[in-house]
Amino acid sequence: SCIYPIIGYGEYGWGFVGTDVDPVALASATRIVQANAGLAAAVELRMQPSKSDLFRNVVKSGERFDFVVCNPPFHSSAEEASAGSQRKWKNLGKKPSTPLNFGGQGGELWCPGGEVAFICRMVEQSREFSDRISWFTSLVSKEANLAAIKDAIVKIKIPDARILNMDQGQKKSRAVAWSWQRGLKP
């Protein structure tokens, strides 16, 4: 949906490179960029041809980025996503009006191993781009997943990592941020 580029450009004038493995998602993002004044000059969209690589193939030689922001697939399967929606509808005391209480396509919502596997792969692959990307960040939907993500960061000896807690009304969320470069301010 290009929400991060829309906010980042609109509020701060930042430029973005957006990536996805799904051509339908990129086509949708292209329409959104073209429909919002100024975004076309501030946002470049790139197809990631590999479902296992996160940065390779999309970060070009010689490019440098201040940060990566990621909204990972939170679930490990369509069934897990559906079960989570059913719990949310029940907790709200409402009958489900749709199978999912959120939008998105399969690849945006789930992947093998869910957000833990995705973010741990991101942590591992970040090493190769540590001299070209200052900060790597990702949302973490489930607090219980933080331990495994922290373990991955400690295991490969990343010098600077932080958990950022975010509260929006009743919604509690968090992001993990890490840098291979000591002393950088996030």
Side-chain angles (χ1 to χ4, degrees):
S1 68
C2 271
I3 191 64
Y4 295 137
I6 290 169
I7 294 170
Y9 174 74
E11 291 292 316
Y12 307 107
W14 295 341
F16 287 82
V17 171
T19 67
D20 208 300
V21 296
D22 182 354
V24 174
L26 278 178
S28 175
T30 299
R31 287 189 299 276
I32 291 167
V33 166
Q34 291 171 347
N36 286 277
L39 275 183
V43 178
E44 180 182 344
L45 299 171
R46 297 178 186 169
M47 178 72 180
Q48 170 54 276
S50 168
K51 289 192 176 192
S52 60
D53 289 320
L54 299 171
F55 309 110
R56 195 176 294 146
N57 304 316
V58 293
V59 176
K60 296 176 182 177
S61 177
E63 283 185 320
R64 293 196 46 79
F65 294 94
D66 293 322
F67 64 93
V68 166
V69 61
C70 178
N71 188 1
F74 296 132
H75 304 285
S76 61
S77 66
E79 295 76 25
E80 182 183 299
S82 180
S85 284
Q86 298 307 312
R87 272 191 312 278
K88 284 183 182 181
W89 286 118
K90 183 179 176 186
N91 291 342
L92 291 170
K94 297 181 178 182
K95 289 188 177 189
S97 58
T98 60
L100 299 174
N101 67 337
F102 43 81
Q105 302 300 312
E108 297 171 84
L109 303 175
W110 58 82
C111 69
E115 77 177 350
V116 168
F118 189 93
I119 296 170
C120 288
R121 186 171 68 230
M122 187 178 171
V123 165
E124 186 172 311
Q125 291 181 15
S126 71
R127 179 191 325 250
E128 182 179 344
F129 296 87
S130 63
D131 61 337
R132 295 189 273 163
I133 300 171
S134 297
W135 283 94
F136 298 83
T137 72
S138 180
L139 288 176
V140 180
S141 71
K142 298 173 185 141
E143 187 173 18
N145 291 340
L146 285 174
I149 295 165
K150 287 178 186 177
D151 287 347
I153 288 169
V154 168
K155 180 181 176 186
I156 62 173
K157 299 180 176 138
I158 295 175
D160 197 352
R162 300 157 192 215
I163 304 300
L164 310 166
N165 292 307
M166 301 176 287
D167 296 333
Q168 300 91 21
Q170 293 182 354
K171 172 76 174 153
K172 294 190 185 298
S173 187
R174 68 243 16 105
V176 61
W178 66 95
S179 177
W180 289 90
Q181 303 166 31
R182 284 193 194 279
L184 289 181
K185 294 190 179 199

